[in-house]
Amino acid sequence: MAVAAPDPTRFTDVADPRRRVGRRVEFVAEIGSTNDLARLLLERGEEDGIVVVTDHQVAGRGRHGRTWVSPAGRNLALSVALRPAIRPDEAWLLSAAAALAVRTAVLPYASLSVAWPNDLVAADGRKVAGILVETALDAERLRHVVVGIGINVNWRRAEMPGELASGATSLAELAAGEVDRSAVFAALVAVLDEEVRAIEAGRSPIDRYRAACATLGREVAAEAPDGEVRGRAAAIGDDGALVVETRDGPVTITSGEVLRLHGGRRT
Ligand code: BTN
C-alpha cells in the first residue's frame, strides 16, 4: 500500500471552538512524540483541549518505558492537552474514559474490548490501541494532563516488525479493508469531548469501563511491581485497581501488565 502525502486539513477541519476537547487541532507531519508537544503547549500556557496529531511519530512512548511504533501514513497517534477540573487521584478516570472513547469511535470497523488497565484488544487478544496518560502535579493539585492515544488503523500485520506482529493487529485487518483515518479521528475527538465533560461534571465512566473490560473473570498473570501475581481477575475497584483472586487470597494491583493466560497473549 503506497503512503499518500498527508493532508493536514483532514485532521485540522475537526477543530471546533465550542468543544472542550478539540477546540484546536495541531497537525504535525512528523514528530518525536505527540505527548511531548502537548505537554509543551500546556507549559507555555496555551489553552487546554488542544489535540496534537501526527502522520508519523518517530519516537513514540508506550507505558512502562516501552516504545510505541507508528509508521508514516498508517495509524493515528494523537495527544490531548488538558487542565481538567479534577483531583490527582481521579486522573485515572481520564485513561478509562479514553479507552471507552476509542472503543466507541472504532465501532464501525471493529468491536474491541478493554484490557486492564487501558489497552484496546480484538477478540483474540491482539492489541489495536494503547493509551499513555502523563500528569504534572503542583503540590496536591493536578497542573495538567496529557492523554496520548495510539491506534493501529491501516498498519497491516505483514508490515509490522516481527516482535509486534504476533500480539498486535489493526482496524484494517479486522475490517478487512482500508479505514479512513480522519473519520476515526473526527469520531474520537467528538467522543473524548463528551467523556471529559462527563468526568468534570462528576459522572464516572467506571461502570461502563468494567462492562467493556475483557480482563475481568479471566485467569491472568499480572506483572506487579512486587513480582508476578497469578489468579482470576475478580474485580476493578472504584480507583481503577485490579483485584486478582490468588490461591492465597485477593491481591490488589494498581499498576503493571496483565498476561491473559487462556489465549496466551499479553493484553
Ligand atoms: C501503551 O500501550 O503502552 C501506550 C501507547 C501510547 C501511544 C501513544 S501514540 C500518541 C502518544 N504519543 C506517545 O509518545 N505515546 C502516545
Side-chain angles (χ1 to χ4, degrees):
M1 189 170 64
V3 180
D7 172 4
T9 60
R10 294 174 64 222
F11 295 103
T12 54
D13 281 355
V14 168
D16 181 341
R18 292 164 302 182
R19 282 208 173 122
R20 174 76 178 74
V21 171
R23 60 185 68 172
R24 196 172 124 194
V25 174
E26 290 288 333
F27 174 82
V28 187
E30 186 179 296
I31 196 170
S33 162
T34 54
N35 268 30
D36 289 345
L37 179 55
R39 191 187 60 236
L40 194 74
L41 294 174
L42 286 162
E43 283 170 356
R44 268 200 217 146
E46 306 272 352
E47 75 263 39
D48 77 340
I50 300 174
V51 178
V52 176
V53 60
T54 188
D55 189 58
H56 186 196
Q57 185 171 249
V58 295
R61 292 196 301 278
R63 293 189 303 115
H64 305 296
R66 288 191 298 256
T67 55
W68 181 263
V69 184
S70 194
R74 297 288 192 265
N75 296 335
L76 276 173
L78 61 115
S79 300
V80 186
L82 290 171
R83 290 190 195 87
I86 57 174
R87 298 189 312 267
D89 62 300
E90 295 172 320
W92 82 271
L93 294 174
L94 291 169
S95 81
L100 291 172
V102 172
R103 190 169 181 259
T104 304
V106 307
L107 261 181
Y109 317 99
S111 176
L112 303 180
S113 301
V114 178
W116 186 89
N118 56 12
D119 289 344
L120 278 302
V121 297
D124 62 3
R126 287 196 164 90
K127 182 160 165 172
V128 177
I131 292 159
L132 176 66
V133 174
E134 296 179 316
T135 56
L137 295 174
D138 263 341
E140 302 290 285
R141 212 178 57 83
L142 202 53
R143 181 152 43 103
H144 58 69
V145 181
V146 173
V147 180
I149 301 174
I151 308 177
N152 297 339
V153 181
N154 286 316
W155 202 19
R156 295 304 190 144
R157 289 188 58 218
E159 299 174 317
M160 294 178 186
E163 69 277 12
L164 291 184
S166 64
T169 189
S170 67
L171 297 181
E173 293 285 354
L174 296 167
E178 197 167 337
V179 170
D180 179 351
R181 282 188 299 161
S182 51
V184 178
F185 178 72
L188 180 57
V189 171
V191 189
L192 278 169
D193 183 45
E194 285 170 22
E195 292 283 0
V196 171
R197 284 174 196 266
I199 289 172
E200 288 184 320
R203 296 192 299 277
S204 170
I206 183 72
D207 289 335
R208 287 181 296 126
Y209 172 86
R210 286 187 186 111
C213 186
T215 311
L216 277 178
R218 290 194 189 264
E219 291 298 316
V220 297
E223 285 168 21
D226 295 335
E228 190 179 87
V229 174
R230 277 180 181 249
R232 193 178 63 88
I236 293 167
D238 287 344
D239 58 355
L242 181 70
V243 181
V244 178
E245 200 62 61
T246 73
R247 276 198 206 146
D248 304 322
V251 175
T252 300
I253 299 167
T254 52
S255 79
E257 289 298 296
V258 165
L259 181 69
R260 194 157 109 172
L261 290 181
H262 299 295
R265 295 182 206 292
R266 186 169 299 280
T267 64

